[in-house]
Amino acid sequence: MHTVVVGTSGVTASDVLAVARGGARIELSGEAVAALAAAREIVDALAAKPEPVYGVSTGFGALATRHIGQELRAQLQRNIVRSHAAGLGPRVEREVVRALMFLRLKTLCSGHTGVRPQVAQTMADVLNAGITPVVHEYGSLGCSGDLAPLSHCALTLMGEGEAEGPDGTVRPAGELLAEHGIAPVELREKEGLALLNGTDGMLGMLIMALADLDRLYKSADITAALSLEALLGTDKVLAPELHAIRPHPGQGASAANMLAVLKGSELTGHHQDDAPRVQDAYSVRCAPQVAGAGRDTMAHARTVAERELASAVDNPVVLPEGRVESNGNFHGAPVAYVLDFLAIAAADLASIAERRTDRLLDKNRSHGLPPFLADDAGVDSGLMIAQYTQAALVSELKRLAVPASADSIPSSAMQEDHVSMGWSAARKLRTAVDNLTRVVAVELYAATRAIELREGLAPAPASQAAIAAARAAGVRGPGPDRFLAPDLAAADAFVRDGRLVAAVEGVTGPLR
């Protein structure tokens, strides 16, 4: 099994995906263990002094003015975890919780949090055992980090609350720890606070969304190319020299992908035949500009994620010279903004894909295709309602594009009077990515059927490969009306798991 070694300088997006989705094992480097021990010595020295230090010998948030005596400090750390584990609503997905915990472990290992090495090792042990704390949908304002979600994870380290075992059964966390030989953590000064004060949930969801969107944007370039073919459009608008004079990188990449898919097609360039067109419609002609803008948005979001992956997010933090200082690095604004930006891009990509689908189904605009791609129009409705479903998804995506980060709701007796709502931005982005996949799948379904209805002209070899792979995957082709939901579900799965991209890249080579 793949092993990820966590050091002091952060982790990569690939590491996060390996742990969250691939079940990779985790090891702490010797450097990380040494850094943890050195930072703990600083915290222990401060804890022994009579002067109050936030998070070490004081209360938290609006209660930070109270100095806590040594006899109550272990209770203080337990209490912050118990009281902050206040989430409600549906359970959060296993991969999100694993990413959340792994990213918190990454920050612990930076040596800036002051927890003991055994706390970090216990978190690694829990992840390696396949134990997943029960974390709920609601409870994070994205400042001071993802408090409630991280607190539910910390509760599991203490042997309290509920968690899901490797067999998928939810049981008391203490039982699961015992079965795997993991001793519950007895928290000491600052450790409870350090376990729950970070942007780890929203960052983990950003990293996974970027991985999914990378596949989806390639898929959308493919389906746009298929629709262009089916509509007998021209590929001249994809010429590199046209995109070089407006040099947005994403636009050039999308145009190059579409051109690669269409290479060798006999269907393109017939827009002047029976129904003359000077130009193709915007949804066809401007596909690279819209998808390209989304790709550039992803590039910016990836830069933010890489910076956050290299960060140590905690409050207070232990500095190398021995100071422990309060700060505002837990604020989720940098991550929240790009999460919202990606949701906007996803909504627009879905919107233009739906317009192409509608054009394929409309006999007045499809340039010779049967109404709704039906076998016997009037007797058959064809894909009429598939487009309704796609339109409903697009409408939902537009609602999900409303930014969460534009909101702020004060908390902690006005001490935390401006929050990021980054967790909410991440949660809605996950739904947006899910729905975008379905929208692209409907376009794939319509475009492949339309191409097969064009008799006498051969589609591009890459298009033929996509159609053949789709049919082998249960995405059925033209014919009389039938129960349509299973076909659409098969198309969804075909796009979602990457088989569409793989089939095309088998002909074109790697897409950009």
Side-chain angles (χ1 to χ4, degrees), residues 48-49 87 237 281 302 345 353 374 377 406 410 426 460 483 489:
K49 293 182 177 181
V237 295
R302 203 169 281 117
F483 180 22

Side-chain angles (χ1 to χ4, degrees), residues 210-233:
L210 285 169
D212 294 338
L213 286 168
D214 183 68
R215 181 190 68 252
L216 268 177
Y217 270 80
K218 291 175 184 176
S219 300
D221 289 340
I222 293 168
T223 58
L226 294 172
S227 291
L228 185 152
E229 266 192 303
L231 292 167
L232 304 179

Side-chain angles (χ1 to χ4, degrees), residues 453-511:
L453 290 171
R454 296 286 189 192
E455 297 180 355
L457 294 171
S463 302
Q464 294 179 43
I467 294 169
R471 300 295 175 254
V475 184
R476 293 180 291 178
D481 279 359
R482 54 183 175 253
F483 180 22
L484 204 55
D487 284 9
L488 297 179
D492 178 22
F494 183 64
V495 172
R496 191 175 298 271
D497 63 17
R499 282 176 289 169
L500 170 61
V501 173
V504 169
E505 290 186 332
V507 176
T508 64
L511 297 175

Side-chain angles (χ1 to χ4, degrees), residues 3-285:
T3 298
V4 173
V5 179
V6 184
T8 61
S9 57
V11 296
T12 67
S14 296
D15 292 335
V16 176
L17 294 169
V19 172
R21 292 178 164 173
R25 292 188 60 79
I26 301 159
E27 291 181 5
L28 308 187
S29 72
E31 173 195 33
V33 172
L36 283 157
R40 186 64 206 180
E41 289 181 4
I42 294 171
V43 171
D44 285 341
L46 290 170
K49 293 182 177 181
E51 298 84 7
V53 177
Y54 177 69
V56 176
S57 53
T58 70
F60 310 108
L63 302 176
T65 54
R66 178 177 171 182
H67 182 256
I68 307 298
Q70 289 190 359
E71 73 282 1
L72 293 175
R73 289 179 190 168
Q75 181 180 342
L76 171 71
Q77 299 301 319
R78 289 194 300 270
N79 285 352
I80 190 175
V81 172
R82 290 168 176 164
S83 65
H84 285 44
L88 281 173
R91 283 181 57 195
V92 171
E93 303 85 359
R94 183 176 185 269
E95 67 176 15
V96 172
V97 179
R98 286 184 62 82
L100 171 77
M101 291 183 70
F102 176 65
L103 288 166
R104 194 72 218 138
L105 177 60
K106 175 267 298 183
T107 284
L108 298 183
C109 289
S110 71
H112 290 293
T113 67
V115 305
R116 291 166 295 154
Q118 54 262 51
V119 175
Q121 185 60 57
T122 300
M123 186 174 281
D125 291 343
V126 168
L127 284 164
N128 288 340
I131 298 171
T132 307
V134 171
V135 173
H136 299 279
E137 179 85 19
Y138 302 106
S140 174
L141 300 178
C143 188
S144 305
D146 295 318
L147 289 173
L150 282 163
S151 296
H152 281 277
C153 295
L155 201 65
T156 294
L157 301 186
M158 292 166 50
E160 301 180 17
E162 290 187 321
E164 179 186 296
D167 63 353
T169 303
V170 174
R171 296 168 51 197
E175 292 181 9
L176 288 167
L177 296 187
E179 282 184 7
H180 289 85
I182 302 171
V185 170
E186 296 181 8
L187 298 175
R188 289 169 49 178
E189 290 94 341
K190 195 183 177 304
E191 290 180 337
L193 185 60
L195 288 172
L196 53 88
N197 204 340
T199 57
D200 308 294
M202 62 184 91
L203 175 59
M205 286 185 274
L206 171 60
I207 289 165
M208 288 186 283
L210 285 169
D212 294 338
L213 286 168
D214 183 68
R215 181 190 68 252
L216 268 177
Y217 270 80
K218 291 175 184 176
S219 300
D221 289 340
I222 293 168
T223 58
L226 294 172
S227 291
L228 185 152
E229 266 192 303
L231 292 167
L232 304 179
T234 177
D235 59 358
K236 290 182 178 179
V237 295
L238 305 173
E241 57 270 25
L242 292 175
H243 298 277
I245 62 175
R246 195 190 189 195
H248 293 286
Q251 176 180 325
S254 287
N257 285 347
M258 290 181 65
L259 204 56
V261 174
L262 293 170
K263 184 178 181 181
S265 175
E266 295 180 3
L267 289 165
T268 58
H270 292 276
H271 61 292
Q272 293 287 1
D273 291 353
D274 297 328
R277 281 169 278 165
V278 176
Q279 302 173 117
D280 291 317
Y282 284 10
S283 61
V284 177
R285 188 174 10 133

Side-chain angles (χ1 to χ4, degrees), residues 238-390:
L238 305 173
E241 57 270 25
L242 292 175
H243 298 277
I245 62 175
R246 195 190 189 195
H248 293 286
Q251 176 180 325
S254 287
N257 285 347
M258 290 181 65
L259 204 56
V261 174
L262 293 170
K263 184 178 181 181
S265 175
E266 295 180 3
L267 289 165
T268 58
H270 292 276
H271 61 292
Q272 293 287 1
D273 291 353
D274 297 328
R277 281 169 278 165
V278 176
Q279 302 173 117
D280 291 317
Y282 284 10
S283 61
V284 177
R285 188 174 10 133
C286 301
Q289 284 77 9
V290 172
R295 286 171 172 271
D296 291 343
T297 301
M298 288 169 56
H300 171 59
R302 203 169 281 117
T303 297
V304 172
E306 288 168 356
R307 290 170 182 160
E308 200 75 359
L309 284 168
S311 302
V313 179
D314 194 17
N315 180 48
V317 292
V318 181
L319 297 174
E321 60 269 31
R323 291 156 47 212
V324 174
E325 297 286 356
S326 293
N327 67 90
N329 283 342
F330 50 74
H331 199 287
V335 183
Y337 292 170
V338 295
L339 288 162
D340 279 333
F341 201 171
L342 288 171
I344 292 169
D348 201 34
L349 186 65
S351 180
I352 197 170
E354 183 275 331
R355 288 293 80 204
R356 289 190 295 265
T357 302
D358 183 66
R359 185 165 288 272
L360 288 166
L361 305 188
D362 184 351
K363 70 181 182 65
N364 296 313
R365 296 179 291 139
S366 66
H367 308 289
L369 291 168
F372 303 105
L373 306 181
D375 186 65
D376 184 5
V379 175
D380 293 318
S381 294
L383 305 191
M384 180 191 295
I385 308 305
Q387 184 266 331
Y388 284 34
T389 298
Q390 192 184 40

